[in-house]
Amino acid sequence: MRIGELAERAGTTARTLRYYESRGLLPARRAVNGYRTYDEDDLRLLQQIRTLQDFGFDLEETRPFVECLRAGHPAGDACPASLAVYRRKLGELDSLIEQLRSVRAQVGAELARAELEAAAELPGGPEPRCELGG
C-alpha cells in the first residue's frame, strides 16, 4: 500500500509517517516508481506506536516494541527491552500518582479550612465580597 492508504488505515497523517521513517521507526521501502510502499506488518508497527503513545509513552520509548515486532515476535512487548520500558513507565506513573495524591490532600485541607472560615463568618456579619481585579 502507499503512504496515503497506510496513514488512513492507521488513523494518522502521511507527514507523521514520514517523521516516523526519519526516526527509523518505520521502514523506508520504495517501489520502482519511487513511491513509498508499506504492508500489513507496517500497519502493526503503527498500531503499536499509537497504542503506546495513547498510554503516554514518548516516541523514543516505543522503539524497543517496534524492534521486537520487526524481529518477528507476535507482540511488541515479548522482548526484554520492551518489558524494561514497561517497568520504567510504571515507576514513573507510580511517582506521578503519589504526587497527585499529595496535591489532592493539600487542596482538600485548604478547602476544609476555607469552608470552616466561611461558615464561622456567616452568622454575624455580611457575606465576604470576592472581587476579581482587572
Side-chain angles (χ1 to χ4, degrees):
M1 72 188 92
R2 294 200 2 216
I3 196 167
E5 181 183 349
L6 180 62
E8 184 177 327
R9 289 184 63 192
T12 190
T13 65
R15 181 178 180 186
T16 298
L17 299 184
R18 286 189 291 274
Y19 178 69
Y20 291 170
E21 180 184 308
S22 75
R23 300 294 307 263
L25 293 169
L26 195 60
R29 293 185 304 271
R30 300 246 180 201
V32 180
N33 60 9
Y35 290 127
R36 290 171 171 88
T37 62
Y38 302 97
D39 58 24
E40 294 298 318
D41 289 337
D42 299 320
L43 180 59
R44 281 188 43 222
L45 292 177
L46 287 172
Q47 290 168 335
Q48 178 76 78
I49 291 168
R50 292 188 48 95
T51 297
L52 292 169
Q53 287 189 307
D54 288 347
F55 291 160
F57 288 65
D58 66 37
L59 191 57
E60 198 54 38
E61 289 174 317
T62 70
R63 187 173 301 280
F65 298 85
V66 168
E67 290 171 357
C68 192
L69 285 171
R70 280 191 185 155
H73 295 277
D77 57 6
C79 298
S82 303
L83 297 174
V85 172
Y86 272 156
R87 287 184 193 101
R88 188 170 51 250
K89 183 56 81 173
L90 277 176
E92 290 173 13
L93 291 170
D94 287 342
S95 178
L96 287 171
I97 289 168
E98 284 308 310
Q99 289 174 6
L100 288 171
R101 283 186 176 139
S102 175
V103 169
R104 187 187 189 293
Q106 292 171 13
V107 170
E110 289 299 313
L111 173 61
R113 179 200 49 78
E115 287 176 335
L116 284 174
E117 288 178 7
E121 291 179 6
L122 279 179
E127 287 192 37
R129 293 178 22 155
C130 297
E131 296 181 17
L132 297 175

